[in-house]
Amino acid sequence: MVAKGDLLYVWSLDKDIRDKGETGGAVTAVLKCMLESHMVDAVYTMKKGMDLYDARPVLITDPNEIIRTAGSIHCGTLLVPKQLAKTVLNADPNMKIGVVTKGCDSMAMYEMAKRNQINLDNIVMIGVNCGGTVRPNMARKMVREKFGVDPDTVVKEEIDKGQFIIKTADGNHKGISMDELEEHGYGRRSNCRRCKMKVPRQADLACGNWGVMGDKVGNTTFVEVCTEKGALVMNQAIEAKAIAVEPAPPKAIEIRGKVEGAMTKLGDKWRNKYFKAAGTGNERLEMVIKETSRCIKCYTCIENCPICYCEECSTKKPYLIPPGQVPPGFMFHMIRFMHVADSCINCGQCEELCPVDIENSRLMHMIQSDIQGMFGYVPGVDMTLPVLAIATEPEERERLKSTGTDQIFKIFKEG
Ligand code: FAD
Ligand code: SF4
Ligand code: SF4
Ligand code: SF4
Ligand code: SF4
C-alpha cells in the first residue's frame, strides 16, 4: 500500500500513455483512473494549442480523451486555478475536479481557497515539479535568434539538465544551456527565475523527472506522495492496474534533493539580482512610480491575479481613482500593493499580460519578500491566513458603510 510521504518510481501500464507521456505517463494514467472511478467529475489541465509554444486549458470528462493532454508544455505560462475559477467553477462551484498544478498553480490554489474562491475539498491536485516556463513569443524569438532555426519546424521542446532543447522535423536535436540563454536576455520568465517552489508539496502528489536514473530516464516519473488524498489516488490507480510503482532508490532521492537545492539557490541568486537593482527607500519608490507611469488602466493585472477577487474593486471607486484619467495616478498601483503584496505568489501573470510590459510581478514580489521578512507570512504553502485576510469582503464593505471608517480591513484589535 502506498502511504503519505512515499517517494516512488511510477509509470503507466498503458503503452500508448507511456509513449505519449513526458516521463512515463504516470500523471495521465492517474488522471484517467480518477475519471473512470468517478473520484472526480472532470479533469482540468493543459493541451497543446495553436502550436507547441501555445498551451490551452481544457476540461475533460471522458477518460478516453485524457491521453490528448499527455506531455509537458514549457511555454504553458497560464495560471491554472484562476482560469479554472473564472470559467468552470463559475458555472458549477461544486464540481469535483482533478487539476495538474505547477508550483505557482499550487500556491494560487491555497491563496484562492483562503478567499473562498476555490473549495480544496473538491480538488485533487496532481503537482508537477517545475524548473520554469518560457513566454511563447520569447521561445519563438530564442529559437530563431539563438538556435538559428525556424520556430515552425520545431516538433518538440523540452527543458532538461539545465538546457532548453529543441527537436526539428528532420530529427535533429539542439540544446543550449539556460544560463547562457538568460545571460543574453532570453530564457525563462523573470518570475520563474526567482521562483523557489520547485517541488509542489502542497499538492496531493508532486511528480517530476528529477532523480530518475539509468534506463528509467524518460519512461518513469518520480512521485512524492504529499497527502492522504494523494495516497488514495495512487492506491486506486495501482488496483485498477493503471500504473506500476516501485520505491525510488536512495541514490535517486539524494540526486533529486541536490537538484532541488541547487534550483532554490538559483532562485535566491535571481531574487538578489532583481531586488537589488530596484534600490532601497526613496530610490526604490521613485523607480516604482516611474515604472508604473506607463499604465493604461486596462485592469488586466487585476483580472488575472489570484489574490484579486473582489466584486467591487477599490481601483474602480471614483473617489479613489478619478475616472477617465490615463495613466492613472500612483494611487491605482498603491491600492494593489496594499491589498495584494502580503500574499503575492510570484506567478507572473500581472507582468506577462500587461500590454505595456510593466514589471508588475517583480515590484509586487519585491514588496512581498520584505513583508515576509517583517511578519513571517509565507503565501501559498498552507491554509494559514495572511494579515489582511482575517475579514471577508462583504462584511467589511457593510462595516465601512455603517461606521464610516476608512480602515478597509479591521486587522487591529480595538483599544
Ligand atoms: P504526463 O502523463 O505527460 O502528463 C503531464 C500533464 O501535465 C498533462 O496533464 C498536461 O496537461 C500537464 N501540463 C503540461 N504542461 C503544463 C503546464 N505548462 N501547466 C500545467 N500543466 C501542464 N520535472 C522535474 O523534475 N524538473 C523540472 O525542472 C520540471 N520542469 C517542468 C516544467 C513544466 C512547465 C512542466 C509542465 C513540467 C515540468 N516537470 C519537471 C515535470 C515533468 O516534465 C513531467 O510533467 C512529470 O515528470 C510528469 O510526467 P508524466 O509523464 O507522468 O506526465
Ligand atoms: Fe514554474 Fe515557478 Fe515559473 Fe510557476 S513560477 S511556472 S512554478 S518556475
Ligand atoms: Fe501573481 Fe502578480 Fe498577483 Fe503576484 S501580484 S500573485 S505575481 S498576478
Ligand atoms: Fe485586488 Fe484590491 Fe481590487 Fe480587490 S480591491 S480586486 S484586492 S486591487
Ligand atoms: Fe496598468 Fe499593466 Fe495593470 Fe493594465 S496590466 S492596469 S497597463 S499595470
Side-chain angles (χ1 to χ4, degrees):
M1 285 284 276
V2 167
K4 180 181 163 187
D6 283 357
L7 298 166
L8 306 164
Y9 271 1
V10 185
W11 58 95
S12 166
L13 286 173
D14 178 317
K15 187 178 176 313
D16 292 340
I17 294 181
R18 203 162 59 241
D19 289 347
K20 197 140 185 280
E22 186 72 13
T23 62
V27 169
T28 304
V30 161
L31 293 172
K32 184 167 187 254
C33 190
M34 277 158 49
L35 277 175
E36 282 168 344
S37 68
H38 302 290
M39 184 180 192
V40 294
D41 304 314
V43 161
Y44 190 77
T45 187
M46 295 281 171
K47 74 175 172 70
K48 198 176 90 177
M50 204 174 71
D51 57 30
L52 87 171
Y53 309 101
D54 177 42
R56 280 194 198 154
V58 58
L59 185 74
I60 294 182
T61 51
D62 177 354
N64 296 319
E65 289 280 295
I66 201 78
I67 191 166
R68 287 196 295 128
T69 66
S72 296
I73 308 170
H74 298 96
C75 307
T77 55
L78 277 177
L79 189 71
V80 177
K82 186 77 189 200
Q83 302 299 325
L84 174 72
K86 274 201 214 173
T87 54
V88 180
L89 297 179
N90 196 25
D92 182 355
N94 297 318
M95 205 177 214
K96 288 193 166 35
I97 307 184
V99 191
V100 179
T101 55
K102 305 178 291 301
C104 50
D105 298 320
S106 313
M107 293 172 91
M109 282 282 187
Y110 276 81
E111 287 307 313
M112 290 176 71
K114 288 173 201 174
R115 290 160 178 80
N116 293 327
Q117 304 302 294
I118 281 178
N119 177 358
L120 288 183
D121 290 344
N122 290 338
I123 304 282
V124 183
M125 256 191 272
I126 310 297
V128 285
N129 299 353
C130 185
T133 50
V134 181
R135 281 166 86 148
N137 54 346
M138 168 57 77
R140 293 185 78 92
K141 184 174 147 82
M142 192 161 90
V143 168
R144 195 180 309 109
E145 293 175 5
K146 286 293 284 181
F147 289 75
V149 169
D150 174 357
D152 290 323
T153 63
V154 175
V155 291
K156 170 94 184 132
E157 53 72 32
E158 57 182 314
I159 300 179
D160 192 25
K161 298 193 179 67
Q163 286 202 322
F164 187 81
I165 302 166
I166 55 167
K167 185 181 166 197
T168 42
D170 53 15
N172 282 330
H173 282 79
K174 193 170 180 183
I176 301 182
S177 100
M178 205 49 110
D179 286 348
E180 188 193 326
L181 289 167
E182 288 174 2
E183 237 167 67
H184 292 96
Y186 301 90
R188 298 167 302 160
R189 298 182 294 161
S190 78
N191 63 302
C192 292
R193 298 176 195 189
R194 296 189 304 268
C195 174
K196 296 203 283 181
M197 191 48 71
K198 298 295 161 190
V199 178
R201 294 189 174 85
Q202 62 283 65
D204 296 302
L205 301 174
C207 310
N209 55 354
W210 287 335
V212 178
M213 302 186 304
D215 61 358
K216 302 273 188 205
V217 172
N219 55 40
T220 300
T221 311
F222 191 120
V223 178
E224 178 166 349
V225 183
C226 307
T227 64
E228 303 290 352
K229 207 193 272 182
L232 182 70
V233 166
M234 291 295 287
N235 285 318
Q236 269 191 8
I238 294 167
E239 207 171 301
K241 299 196 171 21
I243 53 170
V245 168
E246 62 184 45
K251 187 75 191 159
I253 297 169
E254 188 190 325
I255 291 171
R256 179 174 176 263
K258 279 191 179 155
V259 182
E260 187 185 1
M263 291 301 289
T264 309
K265 274 197 189 140
L266 192 61
D268 277 328
K269 189 194 98 179
W270 279 110
R271 284 179 190 209
N272 251 333
K273 197 170 167 180
Y274 278 110
F275 298 166
K276 241 191 186 150
T280 53
N282 281 350
E283 189 194 354
R284 178 179 280 198
L285 181 62
E286 276 164 27
M287 185 281 285
V288 175
I289 292 174
K290 185 161 178 258
E291 177 67 15
T292 52
S293 66
R294 297 196 303 278
C295 177
I296 56 166
K297 206 166 77 165
C298 67
Y299 301 107
T300 305
C301 48
I302 295 170
E303 274 159 25
N304 291 284
C305 176
I307 314 302
C308 281
Y309 69 101
C310 311
E311 281 170 25
E312 292 177 45
C313 178
S314 302
T315 63
K316 292 186 179 165
K317 301 285 174 203
Y319 52 87
L320 291 173
I321 308 295
Q325 220 181 63
V326 174
F330 188 54
M331 176 59 97
F332 179 88
H333 302 281
M334 278 296 283
I335 290 173
R336 243 176 74 73
F337 290 137
M338 294 299 290
H339 292 184
V340 174
D342 67 340
S343 302
C344 170
I345 52 141
N346 182 39
C347 68
Q349 300 300 306
C350 55
E351 184 165 321
E352 140 164 35
L353 299 172
C354 174
V356 287
D357 285 334
I358 295 173
E359 287 186 284
N360 285 310
S361 172
R362 170 164 78 115
L363 307 182
M364 197 67 91
H365 190 204
M366 186 169 77
I367 302 171
Q368 183 280 325
S369 178
D370 282 352
I371 296 177
Q372 184 174 325
M374 282 187 265
F375 298 103
Y377 175 68
V378 186
V381 290
D382 55 29
M383 285 300 281
T384 306
L385 293 179
V387 183
L388 291 180
I390 56 174
T392 63
E393 196 213 356
E395 274 172 26
E396 287 303 295
R397 295 268 171 219
E398 199 45 51
R399 190 178 59 78
L400 278 176
K401 221 166 34 191
S402 60
T403 61
T405 174
D406 61 354
Q407 190 188 307
I408 295 188
F409 293 101
K410 193 181 178 188
I411 55 174
F412 302 111
K413 285 203 172 74
E414 302 288 341

